[in-house]
Amino acid sequence: MAEFIKIYEDKPSEAAIAKVVKVLRDGGLVIYPTDTVYGLGCDITNSRALERIAKIKGVKLEKAKFSFICHDLSNLSDYVKQIDTATFKILKRALPGPYTFILPGNNNLPREFKKKTTVGIRVPNNNITLEIVRQLGNPIVTMSIRDEDDVVEYTTDPELIFEKWQNLVDMVIDGGYGDNVASTIIDLSGYEPEVIREGKGSLDIL
């Protein structure tokens, strides 16, 4: 059964963050808050954890559409091809924030994502998530926590999330109520920015 841990976003406890990082390094799955909906994530470098997330999502790993959560733009070049100035300016304006940007992937992608030509990048405006990624030292692969309810697409209450997911994951972080609007997805891999999904992030950044 998963551990349920309370972390405050305005001042995340170093010890609590270290606990989360240990779970991720050991191949665990963690549910955590972002600046939009709650996410389920694992260490990008752990193959076994990636397989577990794909299984939960019900897709083959190489076909899964996961995003990578980064601490800032500095580790973009680890997984993304050289981007032009106009693209970089959009990223600078928008991040950290409620956006997922689709960018051209490079050859450093983990083995499981080698066939992908593009990669989704998130830098959420949430101190808990950013501290986890910073301490971990590499991105986490993420997917949103969806609800089966037809009316409510995303569960916002961490206690309800814990009830539902406690036997599937290793840790659930209570970072307060989440949002129920997902990130805005913008594809920057082509000649012109293309809005794939309009979510919480405003389109004024384009």
Side-chain angles (χ1 to χ4, degrees):
M1 185 165 132
E3 184 178 350
F4 192 56
I5 182 171
K6 174 84 185 162
I7 303 180
Y8 296 94
E9 201 218 330
D10 52 352
K11 206 170 183 339
S13 143
E14 285 256 346
I17 296 289
K19 242 179 161 178
V20 180
V21 168
K22 183 176 182 333
V23 169
L24 289 166
R25 283 211 179 108
D26 290 345
L29 305 187
V30 174
I31 290 177
Y32 53 88
T34 70
D35 52 356
T36 57
V37 299
Y38 266 78
L40 164 62
C42 73
D43 185 339
I44 195 172
T45 64
N46 193 299
S47 300
R48 205 185 40 169
L50 289 168
E51 289 285 358
R52 280 179 67 195
I53 285 199
K55 195 173 176 190
I56 286 173
K57 207 169 159 84
V59 291
K60 283 197 163 70
L61 185 52
E62 58 275 12
K63 289 205 165 72
K65 287 186 176 168
F66 295 131
S67 300
F68 297 173
I69 292 202
C70 301
H71 175 253
D72 55 28
L73 292 177
S74 67
N75 43 8
L76 261 197
S77 56
D78 294 351
Y79 301 108
V80 171
K81 280 183 183 162
Q82 184 80 36
I83 50 178
D84 60 31
T85 311
T87 301
F88 190 73
K89 279 183 175 165
I90 292 173
L91 297 176
K92 282 290 275 188
R93 272 199 296 275
L95 300 174
Y99 298 90
T100 301
F101 288 106
I102 296 170
L103 296 162
N106 66 20
N107 296 330
N108 298 338
L109 286 172
R111 183 171 49 82
E112 292 79 8
F113 301 104
K114 279 282 189 237
K115 290 182 181 161
K116 291 199 172 296
T117 52
T118 57
V119 59
I121 296 289
R122 280 271 277 129
V123 182
N125 190 13
N126 180 290
N127 290 332
I128 298 169
T129 315
L130 294 181
E131 271 306 297
I132 292 168
V133 180
R134 190 181 67 77
Q135 274 202 35
L136 182 63
N138 53 257
I140 44 186
V141 168
T142 189
M143 66 179 233
S144 300
I145 297 290
R146 285 183 172 275
D147 206 302
E148 274 81 60
D149 192 311
D150 290 339
V151 184
V152 184
E153 200 176 353
Y154 300 100
T155 307
T156 59
D157 183 340
E159 289 190 8
L160 291 178
I161 291 171
F162 177 69
E163 253 174 58
K164 183 180 163 190
W165 289 83
Q166 58 187 335
N167 296 318
L168 286 169
V169 302
D170 303 283
M171 183 177 266
V172 176
I173 298 170
D174 174 359
Y177 275 83
D179 207 324
N180 60 356
V181 181
S183 64
T184 293
I185 303 176
I186 301 172
D187 189 341
L188 295 178
S189 65
Y191 291 111
E192 291 287 324
E194 185 188 348
V195 178
I196 307 293
R197 176 181 75 196
E198 199 169 338
K200 191 175 173 185
S202 154
L203 298 179
D204 295 350
I205 54 145
L206 296 175

